[in-house]
Amino acid sequence: ETGVTQSPTHLIKTRGQQVTLRCSSQSGHNTVSWYQQALGQGPQFIFQYYREEENGRGNFPPRFSGLQFPNYSSELNVNALELDDSALYLCASSVYMGTKNIQYFGAGTRLSVL
Amino acid sequence: KNQVEQSPQSLIILEGKNCTLQCNYTVSPFSNLRWYKQDTGRGPVSLTIMTFSENTKSNGRYTATLDADTKQSSLHITASQLSDSASYICVVSINDYKLSFGAGTTVTVRA
């Protein structure tokens, strides 16, 4: 196991609603990244948080937002859900081993937007 | 156009056989290249990480190679087992947070 847990595992929402996905990282992992993985595709980077501040963002609109908390947990919030937001959302915490940044992924939250 | 292209999209092999997965990338420069294994319904798990100066890296029956000149990487699975059935994703890391993921190769190992 990676030590990264995500909740819930599955979620069904309707278009226009808001959703909050949660991630609990390993203790000491002060960097967390969120990814969106559409069916049959590789994960797409949404954003990264380091010490509770966003320090990198992919090509996602502002209705995708996040929070990171001092206890190494984090949230992904998506407002005004669209059908295309249906995907697996992955959280990854990371730590440096030597010069390499090692990511540990959670099992993901499967979001279905109807 | 995706900066990381993987082939084949899927393959089926018999238990005990070897197979090789390919990854071509256009990302340049890059920090490191990673191969992940993703079981159905699970998050990706790191298999290997190579910097641009490394040519090969092994993890048990998995061996990754990297040719930075041709911008190609391969993942070789030796003596496949049923538990190797998964999606294998090639990831090129530009920096610590900017990662480009391939779409993955789905491997099915049959008894």
Side-chain angles (χ1 to χ4, degrees):
Chain A
E1 296 300 323
T2 64
V4 179
T5 57
Q6 294 187 240
S7 63
T9 55
H10 296 84
L11 197 55
I12 299 174
K13 290 284 189 178
T14 57
R15 195 169 46 183
Q17 285 188 308
Q18 179 268 341
V19 69
T20 297
L21 311 183
R22 294 181 172 82
C23 173
S24 176
S25 305
Q26 288 192 40
S27 177
H29 287 200
N30 53 19
T31 303
V32 65
S33 304
W34 284 89
Y35 297 86
Q36 181 194 67
Q37 186 176 23
L39 200 62
Q41 301 294 318
Q44 297 293 316
F45 173 70
I46 302 175
F47 45 56
Q48 182 186 73
Y49 277 78
Y50 174 69
R51 293 184 175 179
E52 303 165 47
E53 291 193 6
E54 184 181 300
N55 77 336
R57 190 177 184 93
N59 189 27
F60 280 81
R63 60 189 183 85
F64 286 78
S65 63
L67 286 171
Q68 185 186 26
F69 304 101
N71 64 353
Y72 305 109
S73 66
S74 63
E75 292 180 353
L76 165 65
N77 299 289
V78 187
N79 294 323
L81 283 168
E82 301 177 359
L83 298 179
D84 286 347
D85 295 334
S86 296
L88 178 70
Y89 288 86
L90 295 165
C91 158
S93 70
S94 58
V95 66
Y96 272 93
M97 290 187 180
T99 60
K100 293 176 182 171
N101 184 271
I102 309 299
Q103 287 194 317
Y104 297 86
F105 283 85
T109 293
R110 174 72 62 187
L111 173 64
S112 298
V113 182
L114 307 178
Chain B
K1 189 179 187 319
N2 196 4
Q3 295 180 301
V4 181
E5 299 284 347
Q6 291 188 242
S7 62
Q9 188 175 30
S10 63
L11 66 93
I12 300 172
I13 58 174
L14 293 177
E15 188 178 13
K17 298 297 185 182
N18 305 334
C19 69
T20 300
L21 317 179
Q22 299 293 340
C23 174
N24 295 336
Y25 61 92
T26 58
V27 178
S28 182
F30 72 95
S31 174
N32 54 68
L33 187 145
R34 311 163 185 229
W35 283 92
Y36 284 87
K37 177 186 179 186
Q38 185 174 22
D39 293 311
T40 303
R42 308 293 295 272
V45 175
S46 179
L47 292 176
T48 63
I49 300 178
M50 292 181 291
T51 64
F52 63 88
S53 61
E54 295 178 292
N55 300 120
T56 186
K57 183 67 69 74
S58 291
N59 178 1
R61 294 179 298 100
Y62 301 101
T63 300
T65 64
L66 173 63
D67 186 335
D69 291 332
T70 61
K71 296 185 171 57
Q72 295 179 325
S73 177
S74 66
L75 180 69
H76 187 75
I77 305 176
T78 303
S80 61
Q81 300 177 357
L82 297 178
S83 60
D84 293 331
S85 295
S87 178
Y88 292 84
I89 304 174
C90 174
V91 183
V92 179
S93 174
I94 299 170
N95 53 39
D96 284 345
Y97 65 85
K98 195 166 184 179
L99 278 69
S100 291
F101 286 74
T105 293
T106 301
V107 174
T108 302
V109 181
R110 291 191 173 158

